[in-house]
Amino acid sequence: MKPSGTGHDRRERLKQLREAALHRPVPANDYTHGFTGRWSRRQWAQASLLATMAALTAAIVPGFGDRPTTRSHSAQMSMALPLPPMPAPGEASAPQQQWQTVEIRKGQTLGAVFQQMGVPATTMHRILEQPGAEQALTRLRPGARLDFEISADGELRGFRYLRDRDHQVEVTLADGEVRQRTIELPREIRSRAITGEIGTSLYAAARKAGLSPAAIATMTDEIFQYDIDFTTSQKGDRFSVVYDEVWRDGERIGTGEIQAATFTTGGKTYTGLRFEHDGKAGYFDLEGRPLKKAFIRMPIPYARVTSGFNPSRKHPVLGTTRAHRGVDYGARTGTPIMAAGDARVSFVGWQRGYGRTVILDHGKGHTTLYAHMSRFGNFKRGQRVKQGQTIGYVGSSGLATGPHLHYEFRVNGVHKNPLAVTLPPPEPLKGQALVAFRAATAPTLARLQQVEDRANRASAIARTEDAAPASDSKA
């Protein structure tokens, strides 16, 4: 039995078609490159490359698409933040103001400063009308500072100045009114101790050590004026002082009170300690006895003795031998003369060769005479005067060869040498007052002792160094 023609014919037809396909010419642009039914290595490599590129494209391209719109349901939290306060109505448009400081230059007037700041003279005069303003502002010194608060539209809104070193005055100008208030400035008190030795003069040595002229005057005219005649001080005399310094904002603005002082002259040391007793401050010695005595030793500060107490001196004008029963102090015409103590004026007028003369009665038989004045002080006979008050001025009236003060000291009518007379000592502190004095002055006294010990050690070392070369040369 023959196989079915239909199946045989079909197989034959397929075979012929395959053969025909194998022998058909390949066009130039056919990408099979003459495919033979089996892939070559080159075709496998190309296929692998295309497959890799397709995979990469599938992985990367979705990332550039739109992000998914669905959100995760993660937990969320909210926080309330405070907002800045809203400006009050009209506040945002208010002009800003600022303080400006002007330092007074030499020769500059107050009016020139206000003109420089663009402030009208009428406003300046309204400020000067305030209590105490004119006295302070018309005496400004170079270096003084004035503060101006100027608004954005050029109007003066505030003004500040120092009334003194401890008080500031602040002036406010608003709604056509001028108001001022006084502010007490904070300050710091620091203690300082210095020591020195007189060379050419006490003043030069004290200034070199750091004392101000006011502190020097306190030492000579208040602390030791009753015990020491500074006109006789000489080279080698020593002094030590503990005093206050006033500081503000890290800057020294001045000196305060002398808390303690010593002065060594003629082999004797005098000490003064400041202490407040019965509401009044004064200086006391180490035993608590007040240094202020009934009489001042010198009625003219810083005067020089031109003629001392001499029972048989030859008169410079008359040429005869006459007793000089007082002390002459040479000074310039017009130098103030102080009352030696509290007294009543018993005589004021012209007295023969004494010229213009004042005699004071201090009670208990003590009187003092002041002669050769150029003019008198503002007082009359019978009036009371206080110790240190000016009773007249140095001159050369009467029998005088030049301007000087002739000063006499009498006890019950008997002339005494003013430079050597023994004055009655005041009563010392007692009881609780003495205890309080010692407790209050102990720290200052210790500080004074420390600075003197250092000075003594330094002097001893200097003497040793000076003596060393001499001893070596002898050896």
Side-chain angles (χ1 to χ4, degrees), residues 69-80:
T69 57
T70 58
R71 297 182 179 178
S72 60
H73 297 282
S74 59
Q76 298 181 358
M77 61 182 300
S78 61
M79 179 181 297

Side-chain angles (χ1 to χ4, degrees), residues 279-303:
K280 186 178 181 180
Y283 290 93
F284 299 76
D285 64 13
L286 294 174
E287 286 72 36
R289 189 183 300 274
L291 293 181
K292 181 178 180 180
K293 297 179 174 60
F295 297 94
I296 298 174
R297 185 70 69 177
M298 291 178 59
I300 303 178
Y302 303 112

Side-chain angles (χ1 to χ4, degrees), residues 25 46 90 143 189 212 231 290 378 431 457:
Q46 291 175 346
I189 302 297
S212 65
T231 61
N378 187 20
R457 287 195 297 268

Side-chain angles (χ1 to χ4, degrees), residues 234-427:
Q234 55 189 349
K235 184 177 180 179
D237 289 350
R238 296 195 60 86
F239 60 90
S240 299
V241 179
V242 177
Y243 66 97
D244 294 334
E245 289 184 332
V246 184
W247 289 72
R248 179 177 294 122
D249 298 329
E251 178 182 0
R252 195 185 78 158
I253 61 174
T255 58
E257 301 291 346
I258 291 181
Q259 298 298 331
T262 63
F263 195 91
T264 302
T265 180
K268 184 177 180 180
T269 298
Y270 299 87
T271 302
L273 301 172
R274 190 173 190 272
F275 177 66
E276 186 171 336
H277 176 58
D278 290 339
K280 186 178 181 180
Y283 290 93
F284 299 76
D285 64 13
L286 294 174
E287 286 72 36
R289 189 183 300 274
L291 293 181
K292 181 178 180 180
K293 297 179 174 60
F295 297 94
I296 298 174
R297 185 70 69 177
M298 291 178 59
I300 303 178
Y302 303 112
R304 65 187 186 279
V305 176
T306 57
S307 182
F309 188 86
N310 190 343
S312 58
R313 187 197 68 161
K314 185 176 181 179
H315 196 280
V317 176
L318 300 177
T320 59
T321 301
R322 297 177 59 179
H324 189 246
R325 297 186 176 91
V327 174
D328 290 347
Y329 293 97
R332 292 182 178 180
T333 299
T335 301
I337 302 171
M338 299 181 297
D342 297 344
R344 180 182 58 84
V345 179
S346 62
F347 177 86
V348 52
W350 190 278
Q351 195 176 91
R352 301 185 299 278
Y354 282 150
R356 294 183 181 88
T357 303
V358 172
I359 299 177
L360 302 181
D361 183 358
H362 304 275
K364 298 181 180 180
H366 294 81
T367 59
T368 54
L369 178 145
Y370 313 79
H372 304 307
M373 292 183 179
S374 60
R375 57 192 177 95
F376 302 114
N378 187 20
F379 59 89
K380 297 179 180 180
R381 180 178 178 179
Q383 280 187 278
R384 302 290 303 183
V385 294
K386 293 290 186 180
Q387 184 183 76
Q389 183 178 345
T390 299
I391 58 173
Y393 301 86
V394 170
S396 54
S397 59
L399 296 177
T401 57
H404 72 281
L405 166 68
H406 176 79
Y407 174 60
E408 296 182 4
F409 191 95
R410 304 174 185 177
V411 179
N412 296 322
V414 179
H415 290 84
K416 301 290 184 180
N417 184 355
L419 300 180
V421 64
T422 301
L423 301 177
E427 288 295 321

Side-chain angles (χ1 to χ4, degrees), residues 52-67:
T52 302
M53 292 178 63
L56 289 175
T57 301
I60 295 175
V61 171
F64 292 96
D66 295 333
R67 294 183 180 272

Side-chain angles (χ1 to χ4, degrees), residues 184-207:
E184 185 174 356
L185 299 175
R187 64 176 184 168
E188 177 186 2
I189 302 297
R190 301 181 186 179
S191 177
R192 185 184 179 190
I194 59 97
T195 186
E197 182 176 323
I198 296 179
T200 57
S201 69
L202 169 62
Y203 185 84
R207 290 293 288 156

Side-chain angles (χ1 to χ4, degrees), residues 5-21:
T6 304
H8 179 72
D9 293 341
R10 187 183 295 114
R11 285 193 297 274
E12 285 297 328
R13 193 180 301 112
L14 291 172
K15 182 177 180 182
Q16 290 174 0
L17 291 173
R18 189 165 50 248
E19 290 292 337

